[in-house]
Amino acid sequence: MREHDDEISEDDGDDSPSRSQRRRDALAVFDLAERLVALTDAQLAQLPLDDDLRDEVEKTRLVTQHIARKRQIGYLAKQMRRHEDELPAIRAALDHDRQVARRETAELHRLEVWRDRLIDDGDDALSELLNLFPAADRQHLRQLSRQARAERHDNRPPHAFRELFRELRELFGNGATVDDDAQ
C-alpha cells in the first residue's frame, strides 16, 4: 500500500500552472491590452506588434461604449494570448517608454528645484550653480531670478519665471555632465 501512495504523489507533481496563476496571467494580458488601446498612433507604431494584433487594437479603439469596449478588450487579450511569444517584447518596449518618461519628469523636477532655489536663495544658489557651470552668464541669471522674485511678490505674470526655467534647461541640457547629488 505504501508503494502505491508514493506513485500517486509522484504523479501529482504536475508542472502546469495553478488556476490562480493562469488567472493572474490572463489579467496581466488584459491589462497589457488596455495599455495598448490607450496608446497614441505614434506610440503604437513604435511597438513590435504583429499586423493582426495591430488591426485588433485599431478595431478596439473604435468601440466607445463602456461594456462593449471592455468586451472588445477581452477579445483583444484573447488574441494576444495566442501570440504569447511576442508579449515579452511588447512589455519591454512599453516599460522602456515608461522609464524614459520618468527620467524626463525627474529632470524637469530638478530644474524646477534649481529655479526655486535661485529665486528664494538668490546669490548663494547662483554661486553654487556657477560652480557647476562656470561658462553661464552670471549677470543674466541674477537679473532673471530677481525679476522672477519681483513678479512673485507683485502677483504679476511669470515671464521671468519661465525665462529662468528655459535658461536652466539650456544650461543643463548643453552643459557637461552634472552629478545628480549637486542639486
Side-chain angles (χ1 to χ4, degrees):
M1 181 93 173
R2 190 165 216 218
E3 293 175 19
H4 187 282
D5 289 342
D6 290 340
E7 290 175 13
I8 291 174
S9 65
E10 288 176 13
D11 290 341
D12 288 344
D14 194 10
D15 288 338
S16 65
S18 68
R19 181 171 181 235
S20 298
Q21 183 60 44
R22 288 192 313 250
R23 179 166 170 73
R24 283 189 295 269
D25 292 344
L27 286 173
V29 174
F30 185 85
D31 291 340
L32 181 62
E34 284 182 325
R35 285 175 62 191
L36 288 177
V37 171
L39 294 176
T40 64
D41 289 335
Q43 292 170 327
L44 190 63
Q46 294 175 354
L47 293 178
L49 282 178
D50 183 65
D51 290 337
D52 296 334
L53 286 178
R54 193 176 306 276
D55 291 341
E56 287 299 325
V57 170
E58 294 297 330
K59 288 178 189 175
T60 304
R61 285 178 169 178
L62 297 176
V63 178
T64 57
Q65 292 181 343
H66 180 69
I67 298 299
R69 184 177 183 91
K70 190 166 185 155
R71 188 180 317 118
Q72 188 67 30
I73 290 173
Y75 180 72
L76 173 63
K78 179 179 177 182
Q79 298 301 318
M80 290 172 65
R81 283 192 299 273
R82 291 184 181 165
H83 298 274
E84 192 74 35
D85 54 333
E86 297 175 23
L87 296 184
I90 296 169
R91 282 189 182 104
L94 286 174
D95 289 342
H96 175 71
D97 289 346
R98 189 178 285 175
Q99 290 171 358
V100 168
R102 282 188 192 133
R103 278 194 296 268
E104 290 173 353
T105 302
E107 181 64 23
L108 289 176
H109 287 297
R110 184 168 81 162
L111 294 174
E112 289 171 352
V113 166
W114 270 108
R115 177 183 58 195
D116 291 342
R117 285 185 61 199
L118 286 172
I119 293 170
D120 296 336
D121 299 343
D123 289 337
D124 294 336
L126 182 60
S127 297
E128 196 174 326
L129 182 67
L130 291 172
N131 286 336
L132 294 173
F133 300 102
D137 186 2
R138 174 186 296 268
Q139 184 178 359
H140 184 62
L141 290 172
R142 179 179 288 141
Q143 180 183 12
L144 286 175
S145 64
R146 287 181 180 172
Q147 286 175 354
R149 192 176 310 119
E151 288 172 353
R152 182 186 289 171
H153 183 267
D154 299 338
N155 288 329
R156 292 186 311 202
H159 298 292
F161 185 79
R162 291 180 183 143
E163 182 61 29
L164 182 59
F165 185 82
R166 281 188 220 109
E167 289 291 326
L168 288 171
R169 186 173 53 200
E170 190 174 313
L171 266 180
F172 279 87
N174 295 335
T177 58
V178 177
D179 295 334
D180 289 336
D181 298 335
Q183 289 185 17

